[in-house]
Amino acid sequence: MTRILAIETSCDETAAAVVENGRHLLSNVVATQIELHSRFGGVFPEVASRQHVLAIQPVIQQAIQEAGLPHVRALDAIAVTHGPGLAGSLLVGVNAAKGLAFASGLPLLAVNHLEGHIYSNWIEAPNRPAIPENAFPAIILIVSGGHTELILMTGHGQYRQLGATLDDAAGEAFDKVARLLELGFPGGPAVQRAAQHGDITRFILPRPLLQNDAHRFNFSFSGLKTAVLNMVRQLEKQGENIRDPQLVADIAAAFQNAVADVLVHKTADAATAFGVRQVCICGGVSANSLLRSTAEKQFAQMRLPLYIPPLFLCTDNAAMIGTAAYYGAQPTTALPHTLTMDVLPNLPLPEIGSVG
Amino acid sequence: MLLALDTATDTASLAIYDLAAQQLLAELTWQARRRQTQDLLSTAQQLLAQLNLTPPDLTALAVTTGPGSFTGVRIAISAVKGIGLGLPTPPITIGIPTLCVTAAPWFLLASRHPTAVTICAFLQAGRGRYNWALFAADALLWRPTAAEHYGGTAAEFAQALAEVASALWLVGEWDENLAEVVRDLPHVTLMDKVSGLRRAGQLARLAMLHLANGAPDELQTVQPLYLRNP
């Protein structure tokens, strides 16, 4: 039996979890800072770092307690996100994890945050089928506030990036459109809420790069955001009240629909092109209900198993870091991680090769 | 055994102090600059090994809380929180403001001086600014709050020093800008930079004295001392 304590502080959530045998959650604690950052309309790095150092110890203690463990020393390893993310935020988790490893003598495993999101689909959760042990090859769509990437996964720790966003990440586009429509922060839930009563057919927005062979697996969302901005200006010129809740709802619905459409179509295209056995969607934006339902319809039609984490594992959490550490720590991919490791704010996903 | 950790500025320092024998066993002060996270605990491990000790021998932790670089201060404090949770028995923990450590070596001399002496400890706060605090000669165990620290440019610092009536011993890692503006202040003695280094041995000594007074902090309450809002 392997029990890993995982710590995640790459952005604005202070999180710790204990994961047993890679897939089974013994505890999963997340202290969110959303309210603190909402008045800035985005994550304020220094505020995030200050909050992490306040929260880190109680969050770790709670994770150990809720796992029913008497002490850190009852664990087998410490795992921590060392990148990508905000440097000042990462430093709090990494140094706390190092302190734990130093004092307890437990091995310290450095985990890539993106790999964490990928492995959020491997965690056991109630009311969902577990992903089979041999799930490969699989297509992974990582879609969050900082990342939009299509990845071909051929084995544990074996990734090939097929494409990524050329500009804004999908989550970033949600934040920007939410700001534009004065819906608040974070943008994902705010746009979804507003779109609930929207008419999806009233406005049609462009589907960036959907018919573009040169960028078959790449994304671009900054143009879509501009299209929303232009549409709002146009409507204003036509004398529309752009604060009218129905109008805002219709715009939000059109935007959300365009994003979900592009994400699902490109993922389906990649799934067909590489003949994969399953499709995984993960990252904060995978909590979006329209994206989830669009993907479910699409992959049911294609008779491909689709895995999307339950909502509580879509946003940043430490459970996924523990799971990634467990699979990453298998002998074939093990790396020596010592107390000298540093934070890597721009860490990419490890690559086995790019698409030729 | 007490482990003292300081990464509040580019100068990092570590010390291991035997609380029972009241003896400093090991100390290392080095220019860590941006390598604080990489260096801190790997170096602590080496120091312990040098003394034939292991982390479970540690019963107490002392750390500087600021001022300093926000990130630097959080590095050692975060490490302390991890160590505190990882040791078999929860250690006694104490946070000490950074400038107390810089001032610590000078109190005995200052208190024996025939005329009144104020100790001014400072650090370079980046972008040509300084942070400082003024210590009376008998204030070895005083822990100034954020409001009891000052900040400003070299000229503002010199102006503030000019307004102090007593003799001033100025200690810290100075640069030419600061040396230049205090040169003509007759009541100011600028100590040499090596003697003005912040050393974790002094942090350990202060921690030991505070602990003898029965004033440990809770692991949770050891938090950075910020002089500015984000």
Side-chain angles (χ1 to χ4, degrees), chain A residues 309-326:
Chain A
L311 295 184
F312 76 100
L313 294 175
C314 290
T315 43
D316 289 352
N317 63 83
M320 66 187 197
I321 302 304
T323 302
Y326 176 83

PDB file of all heavy atoms in Angstrom, chain A residues 309-326:
ATOM      1  N   PRO A 309     -13.402  14.648 -15.201  1.00  0.00           N
ATOM      2  CA  PRO A 309     -13.445  14.486 -13.740  1.00  0.00           C
ATOM      3  C   PRO A 309     -14.728  15.080 -13.161  1.00  0.00           C
ATOM      4  O   PRO A 309     -15.332  15.975 -13.767  1.00  0.00           O
ATOM      5  CB  PRO A 309     -12.236  15.274 -13.236  1.00  0.00           C
ATOM      6  CG  PRO A 309     -11.457  15.661 -14.435  1.00  0.00           C
ATOM      7  CD  PRO A 309     -12.349  15.580 -15.628  1.00  0.00           C
ATOM      8  N   PRO A 310     -15.148  14.584 -11.991  1.00  0.00           N
ATOM      9  CA  PRO A 310     -16.244  15.257 -11.299  1.00  0.00           C
ATOM     10  C   PRO A 310     -15.832  16.705 -11.008  1.00  0.00           C
ATOM     11  O   PRO A 310     -14.635  17.007 -10.964  1.00  0.00           O
ATOM     12  CB  PRO A 310     -16.409  14.462 -10.010  1.00  0.00           C
ATOM     13  CG  PRO A 310     -15.133  13.712  -9.831  1.00  0.00           C
ATOM     14  CD  PRO A 310     -14.576  13.490 -11.204  1.00  0.00           C
ATOM     15  N   LEU A 311     -16.822  17.573 -10.823  1.00  0.00           N
ATOM     16  CA  LEU A 311     -16.529  19.010 -10.720  1.00  0.00           C
ATOM     17  C   LEU A 311     -15.428  19.332  -9.708  1.00  0.00           C
ATOM     18  O   LEU A 311     -14.576  20.167  -9.964  1.00  0.00           O
ATOM     19  CB  LEU A 311     -17.807  19.772 -10.358  1.00  0.00           C
ATOM     20  CG  LEU A 311     -18.908  19.722 -11.428  1.00  0.00           C
ATOM     21  CD1 LEU A 311     -20.086  20.591 -11.013  1.00  0.00           C
ATOM     22  CD2 LEU A 311     -18.381  20.163 -12.793  1.00  0.00           C
ATOM     23  N   PHE A 312     -15.439  18.646  -8.555  1.00  0.00           N
ATOM     24  CA  PHE A 312     -14.474  19.023  -7.506  1.00  0.00           C
ATOM     25  C   PHE A 312     -13.042  18.672  -7.883  1.00  0.00           C
ATOM     26  O   PHE A 312     -12.105  19.136  -7.243  1.00  0.00           O
ATOM     27  CB  PHE A 312     -14.870  18.424  -6.149  1.00  0.00           C
ATOM     28  CG  PHE A 312     -14.580  16.946  -6.000  1.00  0.00           C
ATOM     29  CD1 PHE A 312     -13.459  16.521  -5.310  1.00  0.00           C
ATOM     30  CD2 PHE A 312     -15.448  15.999  -6.523  1.00  0.00           C
ATOM     31  CE1 PHE A 312     -13.186  15.158  -5.153  1.00  0.00           C
ATOM     32  CE2 PHE A 312     -15.177  14.641  -6.379  1.00  0.00           C
ATOM     33  CZ  PHE A 312     -14.054  14.225  -5.702  1.00  0.00           C
ATOM     34  N   LEU A 313     -12.854  17.878  -8.941  1.00  0.00           N
ATOM     35  CA  LEU A 313     -11.492  17.568  -9.382  1.00  0.00           C
ATOM     36  C   LEU A 313     -11.107  18.299 -10.670  1.00  0.00           C
ATOM     37  O   LEU A 313     -10.014  18.124 -11.188  1.00  0.00           O
ATOM     38  CB  LEU A 313     -11.331  16.054  -9.586  1.00  0.00           C
ATOM     39  CG  LEU A 313     -11.440  15.205  -8.312  1.00  0.00           C
ATOM     40  CD1 LEU A 313     -11.393  13.723  -8.648  1.00  0.00           C
ATOM     41  CD2 LEU A 313     -10.337  15.565  -7.313  1.00  0.00           C
ATOM     42  N   CYS A 314     -12.025  19.123 -11.185  1.00  0.00           N
ATOM     43  CA  CYS A 314     -11.714  19.899 -12.399  1.00  0.00           C
ATOM     44  C   CYS A 314     -10.808  21.075 -12.058  1.00  0.00           C
ATOM     45  O   CYS A 314      -9.817  21.337 -12.737  1.00  0.00           O
ATOM     46  CB  CYS A 314     -12.986  20.428 -13.051  1.00  0.00           C
ATOM     47  SG  CYS A 314     -13.992  19.141 -13.806  1.00  0.00           S
ATOM     48  N   THR A 315     -11.171  21.801 -11.014  1.00  0.00           N
ATOM     49  CA  THR A 315     -10.365  22.954 -10.607  1.00  0.00           C
ATOM     50  C   THR A 315      -9.131  22.439  -9.860  1.00  0.00           C
ATOM     51  O   THR A 315      -9.035  21.258  -9.539  1.00  0.00           O
ATOM     52  CB  THR A 315     -11.194  23.894  -9.719  1.00  0.00           C
ATOM     53  OG1 THR A 315     -11.918  23.083  -8.793  1.00  0.00           O
ATOM     54  CG2 THR A 315     -12.172  24.695 -10.540  1.00  0.00           C
ATOM     55  N   ASP A 316      -8.192  23.356  -9.577  1.00  0.00           N
ATOM     56  CA  ASP A 316      -6.928  22.939  -8.970  1.00  0.00           C
ATOM     57  C   ASP A 316      -7.165  22.220  -7.645  1.00  0.00           C
ATOM     58  O   ASP A 316      -7.960  22.667  -6.814  1.00  0.00           O
ATOM     59  CB  ASP A 316      -6.027  24.163  -8.736  1.00  0.00           C
ATOM     60  CG  ASP A 316      -5.485  24.714 -10.051  1.00  0.00           C
ATOM     61  OD1 ASP A 316      -5.684  24.059 -11.093  1.00  0.00           O
ATOM     62  OD2 ASP A 316      -4.870  25.793 -10.020  1.00  0.00           O
ATOM     63  N   ASN A 317      -6.464  21.123  -7.477  1.00  0.00           N
ATOM     64  CA  ASN A 317      -6.569  20.340  -6.240  1.00  0.00           C
ATOM     65  C   ASN A 317      -5.279  19.559  -6.083  1.00  0.00           C
ATOM     66  O   ASN A 317      -4.483  19.450  -7.022  1.00  0.00           O
ATOM     67  CB  ASN A 317      -7.783  19.401  -6.316  1.00  0.00           C
ATOM     68  CG  ASN A 317      -7.654  18.388  -7.428  1.00  0.00           C
ATOM     69  OD1 ASN A 317      -7.022  17.350  -7.271  1.00  0.00           O
ATOM     70  ND2 ASN A 317      -8.208  18.694  -8.615  1.00  0.00           N
ATOM     71  N   ALA A 318      -5.064  19.013  -4.891  1.00  0.00           N
ATOM     72  CA  ALA A 318      -3.815  18.277  -4.650  1.00  0.00           C
ATOM     73  C   ALA A 318      -3.977  16.794  -4.917  1.00  0.00           C
ATOM     74  O   ALA A 318      -2.988  16.095  -5.134  1.00  0.00           O
ATOM     75  CB  ALA A 318      -3.347  18.513  -3.212  1.00  0.00           C
ATOM     76  N   ALA A 319      -5.234  16.304  -4.940  1.00  0.00           N
ATOM     77  CA  ALA A 319      -5.454  14.876  -5.167  1.00  0.00           C
ATOM     78  C   ALA A 319      -4.819  14.457  -6.492  1.00  0.00           C
ATOM     79  O   ALA A 319      -4.125  13.436  -6.586  1.00  0.00           O
ATOM     80  CB  ALA A 319      -6.956  14.586  -5.178  1.00  0.00           C
ATOM     81  N   MET A 320      -5.047  15.267  -7.529  1.00  0.00           N
ATOM     82  CA  MET A 320      -4.514  14.934  -8.853  1.00  0.00           C
ATOM     83  C   MET A 320      -2.981  14.939  -8.854  1.00  0.00           C
ATOM     84  O   MET A 320      -2.353  14.209  -9.626  1.00  0.00           O
ATOM     85  CB  MET A 320      -5.065  15.925  -9.888  1.00  0.00           C
ATOM     86  CG  MET A 320      -4.594  17.350  -9.698  1.00  0.00           C
ATOM     87  SD  MET A 320      -5.450  18.476 -10.833  1.00  0.00           S
ATOM     88  CE  MET A 320      -4.358  19.916 -10.760  1.00  0.00           C
ATOM     89  N   ILE A 321      -2.388  15.751  -7.980  1.00  0.00           N
ATOM     90  CA  ILE A 321      -0.920  15.807  -7.886  1.00  0.00           C
ATOM     91  C   ILE A 321      -0.414  14.501  -7.273  1.00  0.00           C
ATOM     92  O   ILE A 321       0.597  13.933  -7.702  1.00  0.00           O
ATOM     93  CB  ILE A 321      -0.480  17.032  -7.040  1.00  0.00           C
ATOM     94  CG1 ILE A 321      -1.013  18.337  -7.662  1.00  0.00           C
ATOM     95  CG2 ILE A 321       1.038  17.082  -6.867  1.00  0.00           C
ATOM     96  CD1 ILE A 321      -0.622  18.582  -9.103  1.00  0.00           C
ATOM     97  N   GLY A 322      -1.152  13.998  -6.273  1.00  0.00           N
ATOM     98  CA  GLY A 322      -0.778  12.729  -5.650  1.00  0.00           C
ATOM     99  C   GLY A 322      -0.896  11.577  -6.637  1.00  0.00           C
ATOM    100  O   GLY A 322      -0.037  10.685  -6.684  1.00  0.00           O
ATOM    101  N   THR A 323      -1.951  11.594  -7.439  1.00  0.00           N
ATOM    102  CA  THR A 323      -2.154  10.527  -8.427  1.00  0.00           C
ATOM    103  C   THR A 323      -1.065  10.579  -9.499  1.00  0.00           C
ATOM    104  O   THR A 323      -0.479   9.556  -9.864  1.00  0.00           O
ATOM    105  CB  THR A 323      -3.552  10.663  -9.059  1.00  0.00           C
ATOM    106  OG1 THR A 323      -4.511  10.592  -8.005  1.00  0.00           O
ATOM    107  CG2 THR A 323      -3.823   9.556 -10.055  1.00  0.00           C
ATOM    108  N   ALA A 324      -0.779  11.767 -10.006  1.00  0.00           N
ATOM    109  CA  ALA A 324       0.286  11.920 -11.005  1.00  0.00           C
ATOM    110  C   ALA A 324       1.620  11.458 -10.432  1.00  0.00           C
ATOM    111  O   ALA A 324       2.412  10.805 -11.119  1.00  0.00           O
ATOM    112  CB  ALA A 324       0.371  13.364 -11.470  1.00  0.00           C
ATOM    113  N   ALA A 325       1.869  11.795  -9.167  1.00  0.00           N
ATOM    114  CA  ALA A 325       3.128  11.385  -8.522  1.00  0.00           C
ATOM    115  C   ALA A 325       3.205   9.869  -8.459  1.00  0.00           C
ATOM    116  O   ALA A 325       4.242   9.271  -8.727  1.00  0.00           O
ATOM    117  CB  ALA A 325       3.227  11.975  -7.121  1.00  0.00           C
ATOM    118  N   TYR A 326       2.091   9.229  -8.131  1.00  0.00           N
ATOM    119  CA  TYR A 326       2.062   7.766  -8.010  1.00  0.00           C
ATOM    120  C   TYR A 326       2.421   7.118  -9.350  1.00  0.00           C
ATOM    121  O   TYR A 326       3.269   6.246  -9.417  1.00  0.00           O
ATOM    122  CB  TYR A 326       0.676   7.311  -7.561  1.00  0.00           C
ATOM    123  CG  TYR A 326       0.522   5.812  -7.500  1.00  0.00           C
ATOM    124  CD1 TYR A 326       0.957   5.098  -6.393  1.00  0.00           C
ATOM    125  CD2 TYR A 326      -0.050   5.105  -8.566  1.00  0.00           C
ATOM    126  CE1 TYR A 326       0.822   3.722  -6.339  1.00  0.00           C
ATOM    127  CE2 TYR A 326      -0.189   3.731  -8.516  1.00  0.00           C
ATOM    128  CZ  TYR A 326       0.244   3.039  -7.404  1.00  0.00           C
ATOM    129  OH  TYR A 326       0.119   1.685  -7.351  1.00  0.00           O
TER     130      TYR A 326
END
